[in-house]
Amino acid sequence: MLFHKKPERHVVIIGNGIAGVTCARVLRERDKSARITLISGESPYFFSRPALMYIYMRHMTFEATQPFEPWYWKKQRIGLRQAWVTHIDTEKKWLTFAGDGGGLAYDQLVIATGSKHNRFGWPGQDLERVQGMCSLQELEQLERISDDIHHGVVVGGGLIGIELAEMLHSRGKQVTLLSREASYWSNALPLEESQMVSRVIEASGIRLKSGTELKAIVDDGQGRAGAIITGAGERIECQFVGLTAGVSPNLSALKGSNIPTGRGVLVDTSFRTSVPDVFALGDCAEIVVPGQRNRLEQLWYTGQMHGEVLAAVLCGEARTYDRGIWFNSAKFLDLEWHTYGDVPPAAAPPRAGVQQLYWEAPDRLHAFRLIFEGGALIGVNAMGIRYRHRVCEAWIREKRDLAYVLSHLPEGNFDPEFYRRFERDMVASFRRQHEATR
Ligand SMILES: Cc1cc2nc3c(=O)[nH]c(=O)nc-3n(C[C@H](O)[C@H](O)[C@H](O)COP(=O)(O)OP(=O)(O)OC[C@H]3O[C@@H](n4cnc5c(N)ncnc54)[C@H](O)[C@@H]3O)c2cc1C
């Protein structure tokens, strides 16, 4: 009697960013036989997107941003395909590639297509020398036109906006950064921290125009950006416009498919869509959490966590995703920022029962904020001082009170040796503020 070996399932992942790659790697660890294919139009190999700016600033080569050597993928038997997916047929379980790239059949499909920069229909947004800063292609484009840029305008005062401004500034360009908010990123940072970053930006030589919106981009007569007009009617001459007013899920592969989308690809907390054998994760996923607002999570570490959970789900485990206590960190030029838990931004209305204690060093380059609700710590925000994730998370999870946090404050600090320590001043200031509110 002849035995036919059952063909192994083919898991196809569109997107080789952190979410897709983590899913592929963890799936391979757990399932030695599945056929796995990673597809991306952007680059043959996975690279670190947050490191793109360092390539432009010549701190790193592109190769150095790739965490794995090319042989790794062969060894792991993860197939790679560089192509753009233009259509998904979920009935036939078939993907179509752009051009004459043919197609590919799947048994299970993972959509991990990331984000694209927002364009809000501004006049002139499709001119040459107007672009976002999300992809390798956009970095290459910026590199090609760099010599012609004397003055660049960056529209959008968020994390990518300040990076693009820093990139241009590092090459000696004049830079104007437009921020719709009254001070830098005050829709995400508390007021004092937002003002601190605003001061740091201005001190660097980058011109920050707060409370300013883009109205239109003006053609230089040759189809390229030549100036912008602000909401107040001011004209600013420039040879480049960077669009960094946020990102949104990249759904281009889903056009004409029956996979439900909202702002992103709609998934449950196990990253399943409502279409059988189709999953989505990372920046492109919109997570539907019963009883809560749908969530877009557009961060590196959340993409990694999504990938780990989905790999388990693909192996038949009943896993759901729980982000846990929120955290994030970034660098605003030379100013480091670490945040943990619930830190209300400047723009948020005051909340009853929430007490905020804020300390700022006399140099106005170091700050620390503790947020309590009902006497229990709910958030920590540190500027210019490094505070340990593990320690801050434990304080929040264990609902520690002020006395506990102050007596353990030095345990959280992980600034390198010989850095100035501020804990004594912080504790004294927090005690005074607390007494004053009793
Ligand atoms: C400049 C910049 C700096 C950042 N800095 C930080 C930071 O400091 N910290 C942080 O937490 N996060 C940062 N982020 C965000 C972080 O990089 C993203 O959250 C993360 O990369 C998302 O991972 P992902 O796997 O979901 O998608 P992506 O990394 O975007 O990967 C998606 C991939 O899918 C490909 N793709 C899309 N559509 C198709 C298609 N139709 N066919 C084929 N391929 C397709 C894309 O080309 C891309 O390669 C930064 C982002 C940018 C742009």
Side-chain angles (χ1 to χ4, degrees):
M1 202 165 123
L2 273 175
F3 288 97
H4 291 286
K5 201 170 157 245
K6 194 170 152 257
E8 298 303 345
R9 62 173 167 159
H10 187 193
V11 180
V12 174
I13 302 171
I14 314 176
N16 70 354
I18 183 68
V21 159
T22 304
C23 181
R25 295 179 59 232
V26 179
L27 179 61
R28 171 54 76 230
E29 273 168 30
R30 306 176 64 134
D31 180 343
K32 302 290 178 221
S33 59
R35 183 179 161 209
I36 304 173
T37 304
L38 263 174
I39 301 169
S40 171
E42 185 180 14
S43 63
Y45 301 110
F46 168 52
F47 66 91
S48 165
R49 196 168 301 285
L52 279 178
M53 69 180 293
Y54 300 110
I55 303 172
Y56 186 82
M57 291 166 72
R58 301 188 175 125
H59 297 182
M60 290 176 96
T61 61
F62 174 59
E63 287 67 33
T65 68
Q66 296 178 165
F68 302 99
E69 300 284 345
W71 55 258
Y72 170 86
W73 305 102
K74 236 183 205 145
K75 188 163 177 224
Q76 295 297 320
R77 290 178 295 109
I78 295 174
L80 303 180
R81 175 96 189 240
Q82 188 172 8
W84 292 107
V85 174
T86 53
H87 186 64
I88 302 171
D89 185 333
T90 59
E91 296 288 317
K92 297 190 178 119
K93 293 193 161 184
W94 181 260
L95 304 180
T96 305
F97 296 127
D100 47 12
L104 188 68
Y106 67 83
D107 297 310
Q108 287 175 310
L109 178 66
V110 176
I111 301 166
T113 49
S115 296
K116 59 179 176 33
H117 66 272
N118 286 332
R119 298 160 93 86
F120 292 110
W122 292 293
Q125 67 178 19
D126 297 321
L127 289 168
E128 282 178 36
R129 298 189 186 166
V130 179
Q131 65 167 84
M133 191 48 248
C134 287
S135 69
L136 191 56
Q137 280 74 29
E138 285 167 333
L139 180 79
E140 289 165 350
Q141 173 62 16
L142 178 60
E143 187 64 64
R144 272 195 293 276
I145 61 174
S146 259
D147 286 347
D148 299 327
I149 304 173
H150 305 291
H151 183 195
V153 173
V154 177
V155 181
L159 282 176
I160 300 179
I162 195 169
E163 286 191 3
L164 181 53
E166 186 179 0
M167 288 161 68
L168 294 167
H169 186 62
S170 76
R171 298 254 186 120
K173 320 287 180 197
Q174 284 177 36
V175 186
T176 301
L177 177 59
L178 300 194
S179 162
R180 205 168 58 158
E181 287 71 39
S183 58
Y184 172 81
W185 214 29
S186 57
N187 51 346
L189 295 174
L191 182 64
E192 289 80 1
E193 286 88 329
S194 151
Q195 290 172 339
M196 178 180 284
V197 184
S198 300
R199 288 194 301 274
V200 165
I201 294 171
E202 279 156 11
S204 76
I206 293 169
R207 181 174 169 227
L208 176 66
K209 271 188 86 66
S210 300
T212 306
E213 285 194 271
L214 174 68
K215 191 168 164 211
I217 304 167
V218 182
D219 192 326
D220 71 349
Q222 299 186 57
R224 305 175 304 204
I228 62 132
I229 308 290
T230 68
E234 185 185 355
R235 179 184 169 106
I236 302 174
E237 304 298 323
C238 61
Q239 301 77 39
F240 172 79
V241 179
L243 300 180
T244 58
V247 294
S248 43
N250 182 351
L251 305 178
S252 60
L254 284 87
K255 267 192 210 126
S257 85
N258 63 342
I259 303 164
T261 58
R263 286 179 297 159
V265 187
L266 293 169
V267 292
D268 64 14
T269 50
S270 296
F271 302 107
R272 293 174 207 277
T273 70
S274 58
V275 178
D277 291 322
V278 179
F279 306 80
L281 78 172
D283 276 25
C284 72
E286 180 174 344
I287 307 172
V288 181
V289 187
Q292 293 179 23
R293 281 179 57 190
N294 290 2
R295 283 209 310 250
L296 293 175
E297 297 187 334
Q298 294 162 321
L299 288 174
W300 185 264
Y301 83 87
T302 49
Q304 192 165 17
M305 287 165 76
H306 294 184
E308 285 162 9
V309 171
L310 180 53
V313 170
L314 290 171
C315 292
E317 262 187 49
R319 278 275 291 276
T320 52
Y321 168 69
D322 174 11
R323 182 178 72 190
I325 292 166
W326 167 257
F327 70 92
N328 199 2
S329 64
K331 235 169 111 242
F332 307 111
L333 303 165
D334 286 334
L335 185 63
E336 278 191 45
W337 168 61
H338 295 259
T339 192
Y340 305 103
D342 182 357
V343 178
R351 278 158 44 191
V354 170
Q355 184 192 21
Q356 301 214 23
L357 302 176
Y358 177 73
W359 165 88
E360 191 172 297
D363 65 9
R364 310 196 77 194
L365 291 171
H366 300 82
F368 198 74
R369 182 183 295 270
L370 295 170
I371 298 113
F372 294 88
E373 187 164 28
L377 185 73
I378 58 167
V380 176
N381 207 49
M383 307 293 291
I385 309 175
R386 294 180 186 168
Y387 257 73
R388 276 195 185 84
H389 180 195
R390 183 179 48 78
V391 173
C392 295
E393 196 181 64
W395 291 342
I396 294 169
R397 197 179 46 247
E398 292 159 10
K399 299 186 180 358
R400 296 298 184 179
D401 63 9
L402 177 65
Y404 181 93
V405 174
L406 295 191
S407 61
H408 290 78
L409 216 48
E411 291 166 22
N413 187 317
F414 74 104
D415 274 335
E417 213 182 352
F418 306 125
Y419 268 49
R420 193 164 158 210
R421 301 283 149 153
F422 296 101
E423 274 71 20
R424 193 185 294 213
D425 294 352
M426 282 156 57
V427 169
S429 165
F430 290 148
R431 288 218 165 102
R432 270 197 309 275
Q433 290 176 50
H434 184 63
E435 285 305 315
T437 57
R438 270 149 71 102

